[in-house]
Amino acid sequence: MAPQISPSILSADFARLAEEAKAVEGADWLHVDVMDNHFVPNLTLGVPVVESLARATDTPLDCHLMIEAPDRWAPQYVEAGAGSVTFHVEAATAPVRLAREIRAKGARASMALRPATPIEPYEDLLPELDMLLIMTVEPGFGGQAFLDIMLPKIRRTRELISKHGLELWLQVDGGVSASTIEQCADAGADVFVAGSAVYGASDPAESVRALRKQAEAATSRASWLHDH
């Protein structure tokens, strides 16, 4: 699969969300960080804003729920118009049931892991998912520095995906920029969330194109692609 870029509106101007969404219309997804001030120490937006955003842009919404009780709330984000909904495994009570419910409602089901959460205990869950998100910073705030100690975890996850022959997207989120995206692609990621690297640029759309180009070049050289 070709690399995909998902700009994070956490770094956008919240007073101009519809315009900020249009500014990155060449992106594959629009990444929407939902934070509840419980699972993470920050509060962002919820279902009504997602509904409004879904009407304001043709770019599909990639909703990342950094919230408690995702089993209760995640299905509402599908109904609000999200094309992909990510829940944190650390917060989910029944991740398989939740993934199946998200899929049944018509969205892609995705599961996120905090930096300290290993992938190995969840190997058997992978076939239930459309995407796995490896956080490359501690969730909760934008603009953090990329944790390069996550690269081996990305590699191990890619190996598990290949081992089971799955069509599973592998997303990274946190500190992804021109200086880190190639390392992520080389390790096995193929969906890249970029916040300040896109919205902090003078031309967000050009930043999306440049990041995609970098990711494509690194992927074409990556050993994980050629070994399988």
Side-chain angles (χ1 to χ4, degrees), residues 9-70:
I9 62 158
L10 186 63
S11 300
D13 179 350
F14 272 36
R16 300 169 48 247
L17 280 185
E19 293 162 61
E20 295 281 61
K22 284 191 171 61
V24 294
E25 276 184 340
D28 302 281
W29 295 88
L30 194 61
H31 189 82
V32 182
D33 286 308
V34 176
M35 306 183 193
D36 64 355
N37 205 26
H38 294 286
F39 181 70
V40 290
N42 199 1
L43 188 64
T44 55
L45 46 81
V47 170
V49 175
V50 170
E51 281 178 342
S52 299
L53 260 178
R55 289 193 298 269
T57 179
D58 293 330
T59 308
L61 302 183
D62 165 27
C63 282
H64 176 194
L65 307 183
M66 289 173 261
I67 62 173
E68 288 182 357

Side-chain angles (χ1 to χ4, degrees), residues 144-157:
Q144 296 182 68
F146 178 79
L147 294 172
D148 57 5
I149 56 165
M150 291 298 108
L151 291 168
K153 182 170 159 185
I154 298 168
R155 288 185 199 282
R156 292 197 305 275
T157 305

Side-chain angles (χ1 to χ4, degrees), residues 7-217:
S8 170
I9 62 158
L10 186 63
S11 300
D13 179 350
F14 272 36
R16 300 169 48 247
L17 280 185
E19 293 162 61
E20 295 281 61
K22 284 191 171 61
V24 294
E25 276 184 340
D28 302 281
W29 295 88
L30 194 61
H31 189 82
V32 182
D33 286 308
V34 176
M35 306 183 193
D36 64 355
N37 205 26
H38 294 286
F39 181 70
V40 290
N42 199 1
L43 188 64
T44 55
L45 46 81
V47 170
V49 175
V50 170
E51 281 178 342
S52 299
L53 260 178
R55 289 193 298 269
T57 179
D58 293 330
T59 308
L61 302 183
D62 165 27
C63 282
H64 176 194
L65 307 183
M66 289 173 261
I67 62 173
E68 288 182 357
D71 304 75
R72 176 184 171 195
W73 295 108
Q76 294 186 31
Y77 284 88
V78 186
E79 290 160 16
S84 176
V85 176
T86 301
F87 59 89
H88 268 266
V89 72
E90 303 90 354
T93 307
V96 171
R97 187 177 66 201
L98 179 54
R100 289 180 178 179
E101 191 176 353
I102 291 168
R103 280 176 154 181
K105 286 185 175 289
R108 295 179 63 86
S110 170
M111 188 172 84
L113 307 179
R114 297 181 94 136
T117 304
I119 179 60
E120 287 77 11
Y122 304 105
E123 181 177 350
D124 292 345
L125 272 66
L126 296 181
E128 300 288 339
L129 303 169
D130 297 296
M131 183 167 76
L132 190 90
L133 165 55
I134 292 180
M135 291 298 298
T136 43
V137 297
E138 282 297 337
F141 292 92
Q144 296 182 68
F146 178 79
L147 294 172
D148 57 5
I149 56 165
M150 291 298 108
L151 291 168
K153 182 170 159 185
I154 298 168
R155 288 185 199 282
R156 292 197 305 275
T157 305
R158 174 53 66 188
E159 284 163 11
L160 290 177
I161 293 169
S162 300
K163 173 183 159 186
H164 294 282
L166 299 172
E167 294 287 316
L168 180 65
W169 297 355
L170 181 50
Q171 185 179 62
V172 286
D173 177 6
V176 176
S177 67
S179 57
T180 57
I181 193 165
E182 292 179 31
Q183 293 169 274
C184 295
D186 182 64
D190 52 16
V191 185
F192 306 90
V193 177
S196 30
V198 170
Y199 281 111
S202 54
D203 184 343
E206 176 52 39
S207 178
V208 168
R209 286 191 291 272
L211 287 169
R212 188 195 307 283
K213 209 167 167 182
Q214 277 188 280
E216 285 171 351

